[in-house]
Amino acid sequence: MQLIDLNRTKDIGSSCLSAKIGSFNILFDSGISPKRSGYDALPAFDKLGTTVIDLILISHCHLDHIGSLPYIMKRQQQARVLITQASHIVLPRILNNCVTVMQLQRDEQGIKEYPLYTLADIEALEQHILPMQFGKSRVLRKDNDEITITFFEAGHVVGASSILVEHKHRSIFYTGDVLFRDLKILRGAKWPTRKVDTIITETTRGSTIRAKERSADSETERLIGTIRDTISRGGSVLIPAFAFGRMQEILKIISCARQKNKLQQTTPIFCSGLGYGLIEDFDFISKKLSGVNFRKRITKELKIKIFRGNNPTDIKKQIQEPSIFVLSSGMLVENTSAYNVASAIIDDHKNAICFVGFCDETTPGGELQKYSQGDSFLFKAQNYVAKIAAKFDKFDISGHADREEILKNILTMSPRAVVLVHGEEDSRNWFMDELIELSPSIQVFDMNPCEECLV
Ligand SMILES: [Zn+2]
Ligand SMILES: [Zn+2]
C-alpha cells in the first residue's frame, strides 16, 4: 500500500491521507487546518498530481477532517464519499457554517480566496454520498478489483467512525479520532476484536500524561465545582468548546448537575449559533439511531440563549448577571464568540475560563494557558491588551482516548505495521517508543508531510 500524508505539517491540521490499495485510490478524510488560512489551510492536494480518487472515507465531521471535502469533490467528481448516517445528517450544517465563517474572514481579514467553496458545492456533495451503518460492510468494485469497507463506532463525537478496509488478504484499520469511554451523550468506541495488518492511528494525546487522581469523572466534578463557586462569588464562567459535540456534552453535564442540585438552577446559559443549531440534528439522530442520547428539550430545561457580541466593551454591558457561556471555539480561535467573551471577562477576578479540550499551543487558547494571573495578554484580533485577573484552568475531559488506551487496543489487534498520524512530533514519538519496546516485530511509520511511504 502506498500512503501520502497530505497534511502539510506534523500536527493536528488538515487531516487527509492518500492511499493506493490495489487499483483503488482512496482519501482518508479531507480536513482543513484550524490554524492556517486561505489555500494554506487545505491539504496539499497538488501532491495528488493526476491521481483519480475513487473513494473518500470520512471518519467524522470535525472541520480538521471534513473542511476541504467540497473543495476536493469539485475537482474529483467521480469520487464517492462514504460517511456514517449520523455524520451525513450534521455534515451540511457544519460545512455551511464554514462557508459563512470564510466569507466573514474574507471581508474582515482580506483573505481573497475565501470562501474556498460555495453552498452549491456543499449541496452537490449529496449525490456522491454513500451512507454507512456501523458494522455493516459495503463491497465496492473497480475494473476486476474489489474492496470491502466497514465502519465501526469511534466514540469521540456523534457519527464518528474508525474504518476497516479489506483488500484481498490485507486489512487496514484507520482509527480517525477515538474515545473509548462513554460520554453523557454518546456511547464509546467499539473496535473490532480481530487481527488487522496495518493500523493508521491518531496520536493526539501521545504527549499528555493523565494524573492518576484526575479521571474524566473526577475532572467533570471539578468543573462543576468551579462553575458553582464562580457563580456563587458573582462571576461568570466561559467554557470554550467545539460547537459540534463538546458543546452539547457540556450542556448535558450542566443539566445533570442541576438535576442533582450541584449547580444553581437559574443561572443564564449562553451558546453560540452553530452549537445551538446542531441540537436540532442531535435530537433527530437520537430518535433515529442508537448510541446517541441528546434531546432538544434541554434548550427549554436550561433556558439556553444564543450569544451575540463582538467587542469587549459591548459584551461587558450585556453581562447583567453571573452567567455561563458555552461557546465555540474550543481553542479560542480569533474572532470566535469564545475569543470575544474571553476578552471581555478576563480582567475581572470573579470570572473563570475553563478549558475542556485540546488546545494547540499556537492558538490563542494554547497561548493563554502559558500565562498567569497578573500578566497582560494581547487579544490581537481586537488590538486589545487585557490584564489577566480571571481564574483559568484546564479540565482533562478530552474527547480523545488516553494514549495508553489507544496503545492497548492497537496491540490487541496484533498489527504488522502501525502508521502514526494526527499528532504533534512529541506525541508520535511516545507511540513510536512504546510500540518498539512492547512489540519489536511491529513496523512503525511516522508519516512525514507529503512524503510517499510504502507500508
Ligand atoms: Zn475530531
Ligand atoms: Zn481530529
Side-chain angles (χ1 to χ4, degrees):
M1 171 176 61
Q2 180 211 63
L3 288 177
I4 307 175
D5 192 351
L6 300 179
N7 184 11
R8 292 172 194 273
T9 44
K10 265 191 172 178
D11 58 6
I12 290 152
S14 47
S15 282
C16 186
L17 192 71
S18 141
K20 185 162 177 54
I21 305 170
S23 54
F24 290 88
N25 292 311
I26 296 175
L27 290 183
F28 288 99
D29 286 328
S30 183
I32 202 164
S33 171
K35 293 183 292 180
R36 286 177 279 276
S37 56
Y39 292 129
D40 223 28
L42 289 168
F45 288 132
D46 51 308
K47 300 287 175 224
L48 289 174
T50 54
T51 303
V52 175
I53 298 294
D54 303 298
L55 304 171
I56 303 181
L57 311 180
I58 297 293
S59 66
H60 66 291
C61 283
H62 279 144
L63 283 179
D64 57 327
H65 298 260
I66 55 153
S68 61
L69 182 61
Y71 181 91
I72 190 64
M73 278 307 297
K74 216 171 157 179
R75 289 150 183 87
Q76 297 276 356
Q77 294 194 9
Q78 70 295 326
R80 282 170 291 177
V81 178
L82 276 67
I83 187 167
T84 63
Q85 294 167 301
S87 292
H88 188 195
I89 292 165
V90 297
L91 180 92
R93 192 188 296 275
I94 291 172
L95 289 176
N96 288 353
N97 183 72
C98 190
V99 169
T100 309
V101 172
M102 286 193 280
Q103 279 165 340
L104 274 175
Q105 288 177 327
R106 179 192 58 198
D107 298 343
E108 286 170 3
Q109 298 166 36
I111 306 169
K112 287 193 208 81
E113 59 262 47
Y114 274 176
L116 295 169
Y117 44 86
T118 63
L119 298 183
D121 296 332
I122 297 166
E123 216 176 292
L125 280 178
E126 186 56 35
Q127 57 190 304
H128 302 279
I129 285 181
L130 295 178
M132 298 289 289
Q133 278 181 43
F134 286 124
K136 204 163 175 200
S137 302
R138 204 184 262 274
V139 179
L140 296 144
R141 294 183 179 83
K142 181 188 179 187
D143 307 327
N144 290 322
D145 205 1
E146 71 172 39
I147 201 163
T148 305
I149 301 191
T150 317
F151 280 47
F152 293 86
E153 285 171 73
H156 183 61
V157 77
V158 170
S161 58
S162 299
I163 304 167
L164 179 69
V165 177
E166 293 166 282
H167 179 261
K168 298 201 165 119
H169 305 296
R170 293 200 63 179
S171 51
I172 298 116
F173 188 65
Y174 174 67
T175 67
D177 291 354
V178 63
L179 179 68
F180 294 99
R181 73 179 168 89
D182 289 343
L183 292 171
K184 292 220 179 315
I185 64 169
L186 178 69
R187 205 155 58 194
K190 279 195 174 52
W191 278 7
T193 49
R194 51 161 287 178
K195 183 179 164 15
V196 297
D197 298 313
T198 304
I199 298 181
I200 303 167
T201 184
E202 69 128 319
T203 55
T204 312
R205 281 174 64 91
S207 53
T208 308
I209 305 164
R210 180 183 285 284
K212 274 210 179 77
E213 67 283 6
R214 295 199 164 182
S215 69
D217 285 345
S218 69
E219 286 292 273
T220 305
E221 287 304 314
R222 199 163 66 81
L223 172 67
I224 293 165
T226 301
I227 299 173
R228 187 178 53 238
D229 296 347
T230 308
I231 303 296
S232 299
R233 64 171 182 262
S236 288
V237 183
L238 166 65
I239 306 170
F242 289 118
F244 172 43
R246 243 11 355 221
M247 195 177 284
Q248 296 78 13
E249 175 73 8
I250 298 294
L251 292 175
K252 192 83 174 192
I253 287 171
I254 293 172
S255 164
C256 294
R258 272 196 182 169
Q259 278 164 17
K260 293 177 187 162
N261 280 321
K262 291 180 179 176
L263 281 178
Q264 297 85 342
Q265 300 293 332
T266 54
T267 314
I269 299 174
F270 292 88
C271 274
S272 36
L274 174 61
Y276 192 85
L278 282 162
I279 289 174
E280 195 73 40
D281 294 338
F282 279 32
D283 185 68
F284 181 69
I285 294 167
S286 294
K287 283 189 261 182
K288 209 173 160 215
L289 303 168
S290 64
V292 181
N293 172 25
F294 191 88
R295 302 301 303 275
K296 73 174 172 198
R297 58 176 171 260
I298 199 167
T299 55
K300 289 207 179 87
E301 279 165 26
L302 297 181
K303 299 194 179 73
I304 297 168
K305 298 173 192 172
I306 299 183
F307 171 79
R308 289 186 183 87
N310 293 319
N311 71 68
T313 322
D314 285 352
I315 296 169
K316 274 182 187 168
K317 276 189 215 150
Q318 276 183 56
I319 306 176
Q320 308 276 331
E321 57 182 316
S323 305
I324 302 171
F325 296 90
V326 189
L327 303 175
S328 65
S329 85
M331 299 200 259
L332 284 190
V333 168
E334 291 174 347
N335 294 313
T336 57
S337 47
Y339 180 86
N340 295 337
V341 168
S343 71
I345 70 165
I346 203 165
D347 60 357
D348 186 337
H349 70 279
K350 293 199 292 297
N351 298 329
I353 301 175
C354 303
F355 291 98
V356 292
F358 173 79
C359 272
D360 185 284
E361 60 175 26
T362 62
T363 59
E367 274 176 23
L368 182 61
Q369 290 176 24
K370 295 176 207 154
Y371 286 69
S372 308
Q373 279 168 312
D375 292 343
S376 294
F377 187 80
L378 169 65
F379 287 86
K380 280 186 208 135
Q382 294 167 333
N383 197 22
Y384 169 66
V385 178
K387 189 116 180 184
I388 303 173
K391 192 176 172 235
F392 60 91
D393 207 345
K394 261 166 80 173
F395 299 84
D396 196 352
I397 46 175
S398 167
H400 291 264
D402 287 354
R403 57 188 192 174
E404 292 80 6
E405 284 177 284
I406 294 187
L407 185 70
K408 188 183 93 195
N409 281 283
I410 286 176
L411 293 173
T412 309
M413 295 166 99
S414 316
R416 186 182 52 74
V418 174
V419 180
L420 308 173
V421 293
H422 203 273
E424 309 279 335
E425 189 102 47
D426 287 357
S427 300
R428 296 174 188 220
N429 288 344
W430 182 86
F431 277 95
M432 170 83 83
D433 293 346
E434 291 293 310
L435 284 163
I436 290 171
E437 196 182 318
L438 294 171
S439 189
S441 63
I442 297 179
Q443 263 190 297
V444 188
F445 297 87
D446 178 6
M447 297 291 289
N448 281 316
C450 306
E451 259 177 38
E452 191 181 307
C453 179
L454 290 174
V455 179

